C-alpha cells in the first residue's frame, strides 16, 4: 500500500471516491458529508476520509493526532467493532489536512453552561452545532475530544462499510442480505462461502450506503477492554516516525535562534563567521532572529553562536513582580464574564464565618520531550510540510498565507508527536520551516529547535490569580464569591490560528471554577482579563489546570472553617448537584480508607474537579522522611461515562496527575527583562520515577454522557498536594510552586 504521503501528494484535490481495487465509504448520510480529500492514483487503493480497503486489507485514516494518549488504538477498536475485522490487522495512518476530519465535538464543548447539568436537549443541540466545525475546517486534536468526536463517527464508518460489502455479496450469491454475516474481513454465506472484503470493495463503491444499526455494547469484542497499543512495536523498536525522524533525499538541517527578549527586534550584524564553518550552507533572516542551514543539526546549532546579532529590548514588564502587578490590576477592570451567579454572593448571611484568600500560579512551559520541529519543501507542486502538529488545517492555511500560495497547494503530513499538551496546536515551528524553505526552493529543510530555544519561545500557561471570599454557617457552605484574573489566553491563541480575535465571555478563563458541581446557594465566579502580553497558549487542561488549584484549595479552607471533614464536606455539596461527582469522591474515600485522621508524619489531601465532561477525584498521601516530604500514594477515581479502553484511561489519569503534581511542586517560568530564566530541565524539573507516588485508579461509568480522558487528571492534582501538605504541616500555601516553601524528596 502506498504511504499516506505519496497518496496525499498525488491526490490533494477533491474528486471521485471509487477507484478499481478499493472503495471509499460515507459516514454520515443524514447530513451532508464533506468531500473525500483523497483520490488515489491509478493502481492504488481508494479510500474515504476514514476507511480504506485495498488488497492488503483495512487501513484506518485517523482524524486525530497520536501523541502518546492512545488515540490510534481506540479509533482502530471503534472501526473493528463494526467492520468485523481483526483489530490487530487494521493499519492506522494520520489523515492529511482536510475538512472531512473536522472535530465534531469541539464546538459543543465551547458552548456556555456548566456542562454537568446539561439536559438531553442541550447535548443534542451541542451535537448538531458540532457540524459547524466543517465551516472552520476544525481539524484539531485537543480539548480531550478525540473519543467524544470519534465514538459514533468511527462506528458508523465501520458499520456502513460492512453493510455495503454484504449488499454486494448478496447480489453475487443471489441470496438475501439478511442471511449473510461478516467475520474476519469477509462476508460469509449460510453454506460457508466466504467473500473477502478485498474482492468486494470496488463494486461496493457503486452502492448507496444503506441504513445501519450500531451494535449493542453487550456485543462488543474490543471496546471496553484493555487493548495492546497499535503504536507500541514501532516505538519500542525505534521505527516510529516522529517529527525529528523525517528524512528526505537531499535534506538540509536547520536550527534557529530568536531574540530571547520576547517581543524584541533582531539586527543581524555579521554572518560570515558562521557561514565559514564547514558544513554550513547559509544563514536565513527570520525577522526576529535567524536560522542556520547546515549538513546536520549539530553543526547548525553550533553555528548559531557564530552569528553576530544585536537584540532589541522586550516591551514586557521587567520582572515577575511587575507582571504580577499587571495581573493583580486585572481585578480592577470590569469582568469579562460572570458565567455563574447563583443567589446573592455579595451578601454574607448573619452569623456566618467568612473566609478570604488570594491564590497565584506562575507561567508554565509545555516542555514536550520532542522539542519543536518541522520539515518543509517548496517545489513546483507547492509547499509540503511534515510536522508533529495538533491542527493540520490551520497549519496548512497559515503556511500557505506566508508562502503566498493557495491552501490547495499545501499539504501537511502529521507525524507522531513527541508530546503535545496543546503546544503542537501552534503554527510557529511550521511557519519557521516554511520561511526557511522559501529561501531554499527545491531543497527539503528540517528545522529543529534546541531545548533552550523551545523553553525560551513557548506559548506559556498564563500567570493567574484568584481572590475568593466564602462563608460557612452551621457546617455548610452558604456563599462562594470568586474572581479570577489572567491574560486573555483564548484571544491570543485563536488570533494566532485564524487571524481573528474572538469576542464575548472567555469561558476558558473561568473553567474549573464556575462549573464545579457544588450546591452552594450563593455562588458567583467572575473572570477578568489582565493586560499582560506574555505569549500564552493552551496548556494541558487549560483554565481548569489553575482554577482546579484555586477552587479546591478554597473548598478545603471552607471545610476547615466549617469544622468539617474536607472529603465529607465536598460529598455533601455534590450529592444532589451531580451524582457522578459524588460517586468519584465516594470511590476515593473507599479506595484510600479515608477516615479524616492521619498519624504523625503523614498528611492526606483530597480534591475533585469536573472538567471536559469528566469528574475526577484524587486523594494524595504525603509522608515526612528524614526531614523531607515524599509523595507516597495517590488514589484516583474518574467517570467519563463509557470506558472504551480501561488501560489507556488509567494511563491518562495518572499521567495527568503527574503532570499536575510536577507543575505544583517544581515548575515555574520567570522572565527577567522579557527573557525566560529557565532554559532546560535542570531549571524546570518534573517528577521522576524515584519521587512519583504509587497510583491506584478506579474507573466508573455512571456519567450519562461521554467525557474526556486526556486532561481531566491534571486539574485536581495541585490542590490535592497543597491540601495534603496542610494536613501534614498545618501550613496553608496559596502560591505555586510549592518547593519554595517545602523540601521534597
Amino acid at each position: 500500500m502506498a504511504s499516506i504521503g505519496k497518496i496525499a501528494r498525488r491526490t490533494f484535490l477533491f474528486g471521485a471516491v471509487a477507484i478499481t481495487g478499493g472503495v471509499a465509504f460515507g459516514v454520515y448520510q443524514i447530513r451532508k458529508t464533506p468531500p473525500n480529500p483523497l483520490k488515489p492514483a491509478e493502481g492504488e487503493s481508494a479510500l474515504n476520509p476514514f476507511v480504506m480497503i485495498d488488497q492488503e486489507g483495512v487501513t484506518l485514516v485517523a482524524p486525530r493526532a497520536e501523541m502518546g494518549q492512545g488515540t490510534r488504538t481506540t479509533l482502530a477498536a471503534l472501526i473493528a467493532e463494526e467492520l468485523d475485522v481483526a483489530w490487530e490487522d487494521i493499519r492506522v495512518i494520520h489523515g492529511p489536512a482536510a475538512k472531512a476530519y473536522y472535530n465534531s465535538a469541539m464546538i459543543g464543548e465551547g458552548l456556555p453552561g456548566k456542562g454537568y447539568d446539561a439536559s438531553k436537549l442541550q447535548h443534542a443541540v451541542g451535537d448538531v452545532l458540532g457540524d459547524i466545525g466543517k465551516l472552520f475546517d476544525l481539524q484539531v486534536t485537543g480539548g480531550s475530544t478525540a473519543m467524544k468526536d470519534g465514538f459514533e463517527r468511527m462506528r458508523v464508518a465501520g458499520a456502513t462499510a460492512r453493510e455495503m460489502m454484504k449488499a454486494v455479496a448478496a447480489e453475487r450469491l443471489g441470496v438475501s442480505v439478511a442471511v449473510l454475516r461478516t467475520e474476519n474481513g469477509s462476508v460469509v454465506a449460510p453454506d460457508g462461502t466466504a467473500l473477502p472484503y478485498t474482492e468486494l470493495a470496488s463494486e461496493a463503491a457503486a452502492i448507496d450506503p444503506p441504513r445501519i444499526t450500531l451494535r449493542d455494547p453487550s456485543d462488543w469484542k474490543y471496546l471496553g477492554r484493555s487493548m495492546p497499543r497499535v503504536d507500541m512495536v514501532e516505538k519500542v523498536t525505534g521505527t516510529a516516525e516522529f517529527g525529528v525522524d523525517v528524512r528526505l533525499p537531499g535534506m538540509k538541517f536547520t536550527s534557529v535562534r530568536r531574540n530571547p527578549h520576547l517581543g524584541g527586534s533582531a539586527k543581524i550584524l555579521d554572518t560570515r563567521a558562521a557561514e565559514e564553518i564547514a558544513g554550513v550552507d547559509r544563514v536565513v533572516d527570520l525577522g526576529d532572529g535567524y536560522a542556520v542551514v547546515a549538513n546536520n543539526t549539530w553543526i547548525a546549532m553550533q553555528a548559531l553562536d557564530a552569528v553576530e546579532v544585536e537584540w532589541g529590548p522586550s516591551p514586557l514588564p521587567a520582572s515577575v513582580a511587575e507582571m504580577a502587578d499587571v495581573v493583580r490590576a486585572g481585578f480592577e477592570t470590569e469582568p469579562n464574564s460572570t458565567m455563574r451567579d447563583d443567589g446573592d454572593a455579595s451578601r454574607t448571611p448573619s452569623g456566618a464565618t467568612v473566609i478570604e484568600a488570594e491564590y497565584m500560579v506562575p507561567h508554565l512551559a509545555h516542555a514536550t520531550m520532542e522539542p519543536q520541529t518541522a520539515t518543509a519543501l517548496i517545489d513546483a507542486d507547492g509547499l509540503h510540510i511534515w510536522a508533529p502538529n495538533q491542527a493540520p488545517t490551520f497549519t496548512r492555511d497559515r503556511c500557505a498565507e506566508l508562502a503566498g500560495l493557495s491552501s490547495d497547494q499545501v499539504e501537511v503530513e502529521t507525524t507522531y508527536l513527541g508530546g503535545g499538551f496543546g503546544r503542537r496546536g501552534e503554527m510557529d515551528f511550521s511557519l519557521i520551516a516554511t520561511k526557511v524553505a522559501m529561501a531554499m526552493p527545491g531543497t527539503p529543510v528540517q528545522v529543529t529547535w534546541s531545548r533552550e530555544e523551545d523553553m525560551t519561545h513557548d506559548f506559556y500557561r498564563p500567570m493567574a490569580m484568584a481572590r475568593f471570599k466564602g462563608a460557612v454557617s452551621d457546617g455548610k457552605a452558604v456563599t462562594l464569591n470568586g474572581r479570577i484574573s489572567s491574560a486573555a489566553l483564548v484571544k491570543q491563541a485563536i488570533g494566532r490560528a485564524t487571524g481573528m480575535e474572538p469576542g464575548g465571555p472567555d469561558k476558558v478563563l473561568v473553567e474549573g471554577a464556575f462549573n464545579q458541581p457544588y450546591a452552594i446557594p450563593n455562588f458567583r465566579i467572575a473572570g477578568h482579563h489582565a493586560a499582560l502580553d506574555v505569549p500564552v497558549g493552551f496548556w494541558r487542561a487549560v483554565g481548569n489546570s489553575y482554577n482546579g488549584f484555586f477552587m479546591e484549595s478554597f473548598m478545603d479552607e471552607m471545610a476547615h472553617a466549617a469544622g468539617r471533614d474536607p472529603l465529607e464536606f465536598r460529598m455533601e455539596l455534590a450529592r444532589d448537584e451531580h451524582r457522578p461527582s459524588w460517586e468519584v469522591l465516594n470511590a476515593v474515600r473507599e479506595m484510600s480508607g479515608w477516615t479524616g485522621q492521619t498519624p504523625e508524619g503523614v498528611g492526606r489531601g483530597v480534591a475533585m474537579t469536573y472538567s471536559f465532561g469528566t469528574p475526577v477525584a484524587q486523594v494524595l498521601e504525603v509522608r515526612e522522611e528524614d526531614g523531607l516530604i515524599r509523595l507516597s500514594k495517590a488514589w484516583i477515581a474518574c467517570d467519563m461515562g463509557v470506558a472504551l479502553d480501561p488501560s489507556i484511561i488509567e494511563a491518562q489519569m495518572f499521567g495527568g496527575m503527574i503532570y499536575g503534581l510536577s507543575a505544583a511542586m517544581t515548575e515555574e517560568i520567570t522572565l527577567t527583562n522579557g527573557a525566560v530564566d529557565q532554559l532546560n530541565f535542570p531549571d524546570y524539573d518534573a517528577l521522576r520515577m524515584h519521587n512519583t507516588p504509587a497510583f491506584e485508579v478506579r474507573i466508573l461509568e455512571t456519567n450519562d454522557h461521554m467525557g474526556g480522558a486526556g486532561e481531566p487528571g491534571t486539574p485536581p492534582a495541585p490542590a490535592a498536594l497543597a491540601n495534603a501538605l496542610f494536613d501534614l504541616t498545618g501550613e496553608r500555601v496559596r502560591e505555586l510552586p510549592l518547593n519554595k516553601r517545602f523540601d521534597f524528596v
Side-chain angles (χ1 to χ4, degrees):
M1 184 189 73
S3 72
I4 188 68
K6 292 180 180 177
I7 295 173
R9 281 193 288 278
R10 299 172 185 171
T11 65
F12 229 71
L13 299 177
F14 300 141
V17 297
I19 300 293
T20 301
V23 62
F25 302 106
V27 177
Y28 289 111
Q29 299 306 315
I30 60 171
R31 300 171 184 163
K32 184 178 180 181
T33 303
N36 182 356
L38 297 172
K39 179 185 172 185
E42 184 176 355
E44 292 184 329
S45 305
L47 56 112
N48 86 333
F50 305 110
V51 180
M52 180 196 302
I53 295 182
D54 61 19
Q55 296 305 310
E56 295 182 29
V58 176
T59 296
L60 163 64
V61 183
R64 303 290 161 254
E66 177 60 67
M67 50 186 132
Q69 82 279 39
T71 291
R72 288 192 176 192
T73 298
T74 306
L75 291 177
L78 288 164
I79 289 285
E81 201 67 74
E82 294 289 345
L83 188 53
D84 276 333
V85 294
W87 170 88
E88 61 271 20
D89 291 340
I90 294 180
R91 297 164 306 213
V92 187
I93 55 178
H94 194 286
K99 183 187 297 291
Y101 304 114
Y102 75 97
N103 188 324
S104 66
M106 191 159 276
I107 294 291
E109 289 298 306
L111 295 176
K114 298 187 288 289
Y116 68 82
D117 61 348
S119 66
K120 290 183 178 179
L121 176 60
Q122 288 172 307
H123 277 282
V125 170
D127 290 342
V128 171
L129 291 178
D131 278 359
I132 294 175
K134 299 175 188 175
L135 303 179
F136 300 106
D137 291 356
L138 194 63
Q139 184 186 2
V140 175
T141 303
S144 296
T145 57
M147 290 307 113
K148 286 183 278 188
D149 167 65
F151 180 53
E152 184 174 309
R153 293 174 84 183
M154 295 300 101
R155 289 185 299 143
V156 169
T160 302
R162 180 192 72 225
E163 293 305 312
M164 293 169 73
M165 296 297 185
K166 287 168 66 177
V168 171
E171 181 70 23
R172 281 196 190 181
L173 299 173
V175 299
S176 168
V177 171
V179 303
L180 299 175
R181 60 185 175 87
T182 51
E183 181 180 295
N184 291 330
S186 295
V187 179
V188 183
D191 64 0
T193 300
L195 299 178
Y197 290 168
T198 53
E199 296 180 9
L200 302 170
S202 58
E203 292 181 50
I207 296 176
D208 290 333
R211 287 182 172 273
I212 56 96
T213 300
L214 295 176
R215 288 173 172 159
D216 189 88
S218 62
D219 297 324
W220 288 348
K221 296 184 296 183
Y222 303 115
L223 299 174
R225 296 174 50 195
S226 295
M227 302 297 294
R229 296 283 285 267
V230 298
D231 52 347
M232 187 60 67
V233 172
E234 289 179 281
K235 291 178 177 178
V236 169
T237 59
T239 58
E241 186 178 68
F242 290 85
V244 293
D245 297 320
V246 172
R247 293 294 181 269
L248 299 168
M251 176 184 284
K252 293 290 185 177
F253 299 85
T254 307
S255 197
V256 299
R257 182 162 296 165
R258 296 151 68 200
N259 191 335
H261 305 279
L262 302 182
S265 62
K267 183 179 180 180
I268 299 175
L269 303 177
D270 194 345
T271 62
R272 288 173 296 179
E275 291 167 338
E276 289 172 359
I277 295 174
V280 170
D281 188 288
R282 69 186 68 188
V283 176
V284 178
D285 190 342
L286 299 176
D288 63 346
Y290 54 92
V292 173
V293 183
N295 292 339
N296 63 54
T297 302
W298 179 247
I299 293 175
M301 287 183 173
Q302 298 305 298
L304 290 171
D305 293 331
V307 175
E308 186 178 345
V309 61
E310 182 179 286
W311 301 124
S314 171
L316 295 173
S319 68
V320 170
E322 292 177 48
M323 291 181 180
D325 287 341
V326 175
V327 175
R328 196 170 286 112
F331 289 118
E332 307 307 317
T333 66
E334 285 297 312
N336 166 268
S337 72
T338 305
M339 301 197 74
R340 187 166 187 164
D341 196 1
D342 301 342
D344 183 2
S346 62
R347 184 179 64 87
T348 301
S350 177
T353 300
V354 176
I355 311 98
E356 294 187 73
E358 180 172 298
Y359 303 93
M360 179 177 173
V361 296
H363 289 102
L364 293 178
H366 294 83
T368 57
M369 288 302 295
E370 178 188 37
Q372 305 316 302
T373 181
T375 299
L377 167 66
I378 290 182
D379 60 18
D381 295 328
L383 170 64
H384 316 270
I385 298 169
W386 296 258
N389 75 96
Q390 294 176 239
T393 46
F394 291 122
T395 297
R396 176 198 65 194
D397 294 345
R398 294 306 304 275
C399 291
E401 180 182 358
L402 176 63
L405 301 171
S406 63
S407 292
D408 61 9
Q409 291 177 285
V410 180
E411 64 175 56
V412 178
E413 184 166 342
T414 300
T415 64
Y416 281 121
L417 283 60
F421 314 124
R423 179 63 177 92
R424 311 284 188 182
E426 299 288 346
M427 286 96 234
D428 55 332
F429 48 95
S430 295
L431 288 166
I432 288 174
T434 298
K435 184 171 285 190
V436 176
M438 290 168 63
M440 301 186 66
T443 299
V445 290
Q446 182 176 92
V447 179
T448 302
W449 299 19
S450 67
R451 175 61 59 191
E452 290 74 15
E453 193 72 15
D454 185 273
M455 297 290 288
T456 299
H457 290 283
D458 202 345
F459 295 98
Y460 306 95
R461 192 189 76 173
M463 175 186 286
M465 294 183 186
R467 289 177 176 172
F468 279 21
K469 182 177 181 179
V472 295
S473 181
D474 297 325
K476 298 181 183 296
V478 293
T479 300
L480 195 159
N481 191 354
R483 296 190 296 150
I484 298 155
S485 177
S486 178
L489 182 158
V490 171
K491 186 177 180 180
Q492 274 200 36
I494 300 301
R496 288 191 296 269
T498 68
M500 300 180 293
E501 293 184 349
D506 185 346
K507 180 179 179 180
V508 169
L509 174 61
V510 293
E511 64 184 2
F514 89 93
N515 58 344
Q516 294 312 286
Y518 292 130
I520 302 173
N522 306 294
F523 192 165
R524 178 167 62 202
I525 296 290
H528 300 259
H529 279 163
L532 183 60
D533 292 328
V534 173
V536 293
F538 297 114
W539 188 94
R540 191 174 191 173
V542 205
N544 298 284
S545 68
Y546 51 80
N547 287 322
F549 170 64
F550 301 155
M551 183 75 184
E552 285 300 290
S553 293
F554 194 68
M555 290 299 295
D556 227 57
E557 297 202 48
M558 292 181 74
H560 285 285
R564 297 287 304 280
D565 175 88
L567 197 154
E568 291 180 356
F569 184 73
R570 290 171 170 84
M571 291 180 68
E572 181 178 283
L573 291 169
R575 182 180 56 215
D576 297 326
E577 187 75 3
H578 186 232
R579 189 69 182 189
S581 294
W582 183 92
E583 294 285 358
V584 296
L585 285 165
N586 187 52
V588 292
R589 180 183 65 82
E590 294 176 352
M591 295 161 67
S592 65
W594 180 281
T595 64
Q597 303 296 319
T598 50
E600 185 70 22
V602 177
R604 282 188 171 188
V606 61
M608 188 274 290
T609 305
Y610 173 88
S611 64
F612 305 98
T614 299
V616 176
Q618 298 172 350
V619 169
L620 181 67
E621 181 178 278
V622 297
R623 292 177 176 269
E624 187 176 353
E625 185 178 290
D626 298 327
L628 302 175
I629 296 172
R630 176 178 292 282
L631 282 58
S632 58
K633 187 68 185 289
W635 297 267
I636 308 171
C638 59
D639 190 341
M640 63 280 304
V642 181
L644 295 178
D645 189 310
S647 65
I648 287 177
I649 294 169
E650 180 180 11
Q652 288 302 297
M653 285 300 130
F654 68 71
M657 189 174 188
I658 289 173
Y659 204 73
L661 290 174
S662 297
M665 287 173 59
T666 63
E667 293 178 353
E668 178 182 31
I669 289 294
T670 60
L671 296 93
T672 302
N673 295 322
V676 171
D677 299 313
Q678 295 76 22
L679 300 181
N680 212 314
F681 288 116
D683 311 320
Y684 193 82
D685 206 358
L687 278 177
R688 307 299 182 95
M689 292 179 69
H690 74 277
N691 59 4
T692 295
F695 289 94
E696 182 181 340
V697 179
R698 182 179 296 180
I699 301 167
L700 308 182
E701 296 184 85
T702 70
N703 215 341
D704 289 336
H705 302 280
M706 179 177 285
E711 295 166 275
T714 297
L721 176 55
N723 296 338
L725 292 169
F726 174 76
D727 185 46
L728 176 68
T729 68
E731 183 177 359
R732 177 70 66 182
V733 178
R734 301 187 178 108
E735 181 178 341
L736 301 181
L738 295 165
N739 66 350
K740 290 183 176 181
R741 300 290 289 274
F742 301 104
D743 294 323
F744 295 98
V745 171

